[in-house]
Amino acid sequence: MFAVLKTGGKQYKVQAGDVLRVEKLAAAAGDKVQFNEILMVGATVGTPTVAGAGVQAEVIDQIKGEKVIHFVKRRRKHSSKRTKGHRQQLTLLRVTDILEKGADKSGVKAAIGAGSVSGGVAAAPATKAAPKKAAPAKAAKAEAPAAAAADDLTAITGVGPAAAKKLAEAGITTFAQLAAVDVDSFDAVKIKPEWVEQAKSLA
């Protein structure tokens, strides 16, 4: 009796005792696995698979396929060459039994591709990244009282938004600070004497 099984995106026609190479499975040498995606068993054709059918096999070894050379050449402006080799990871196994019915109750572990297992493990460690957003919120709260305590320096005649920004960069944000400035000795920003006089009255 023969069966047609599907694994790793490929289909294989097998009989008991056949040795075949399939895409790498998550199993060690000596393990017994069972393929449950059976497309055909003898004269029975699945729709798309045969219910209750299975193919059991014993893992002989984990091997690599033949080396494949991938050569890329780009002419004209680039004129570059790149050579890359690849050996596909495979599982060598021997078919031991073909079951027409009752495969779902056999107790043998299902054959799972190694790629799907590693992808599931890698996706697990996530979350717990949200608490880091608390720091900007604290900084915003700390800046809020300072912003609330600052005076509107543009209320002074001759001080526009650009001048107010320069004064803020020099550390002057209130009328009291501006009123205490000595025009002759203060070099950080050019301050006019009339600004200081107005700041004294506003403070």
Side-chain angles (χ1 to χ4, degrees):
M1 183 192 305
F2 74 90
V4 177
L5 62 90
K6 180 182 178 182
T7 178
K10 303 179 180 66
Q11 298 177 10
Y12 302 88
K13 181 181 177 182
V14 297
Q15 291 180 329
D18 286 354
V19 175
L20 68 151
R21 304 187 304 174
V22 298
E23 296 289 328
K24 187 175 181 180
L25 303 175
D31 289 354
K32 194 170 184 180
V33 295
Q34 178 174 290
F35 298 94
N36 296 317
E37 283 192 274
I38 310 302
L39 306 178
M40 184 175 180
V41 177
T44 306
V45 179
T47 56
T49 59
V50 180
V55 173
Q56 296 180 353
E58 181 184 357
V59 177
I60 300 173
D61 197 6
Q62 299 287 359
I63 60 173
K64 287 186 177 181
E66 294 79 12
K67 188 171 186 179
V68 178
I69 302 297
H70 181 227
F71 178 72
V72 177
K73 180 179 179 180
R74 295 189 293 176
R75 300 186 301 157
R76 299 181 181 89
K77 289 185 180 179
H78 305 287
S79 67
S80 65
K81 298 178 183 179
R82 184 177 62 194
T83 303
K84 187 166 60 175
H86 173 72
R87 295 186 68 185
Q88 184 68 28
Q89 293 187 332
L90 304 170
T91 299
L92 185 67
L93 47 84
R94 179 183 291 107
V95 178
T96 56
D97 198 7
I98 296 175
L99 305 175
E100 288 189 79
K101 296 179 181 178
D104 49 349
K105 299 178 183 178
S106 64
V108 180
K109 72 174 184 178
I112 303 173
S116 60
V117 173
S118 63
V121 173
T127 66
K128 281 203 174 181
K132 291 187 179 179
K133 292 185 179 179
K138 287 182 180 178
K141 287 181 181 178
E143 290 174 3
D151 294 326
D152 185 11
L153 298 178
T154 56
I156 298 172
T157 305
V159 178
K165 183 179 179 183
K166 289 182 179 179
L167 290 170
E169 290 173 356
I172 300 173
T173 58
T174 62
F175 296 134
Q177 290 174 339
L178 184 56
V181 170
D182 185 1
V183 178
D184 297 327
S185 61
F186 194 77
D187 298 329
V189 182
K190 185 178 179 181
I191 298 176
K192 296 180 181 181
E194 54 266 28
W195 294 358
V196 176
E197 294 301 324
Q198 292 182 52
K200 287 179 181 178
S201 61
L202 290 170

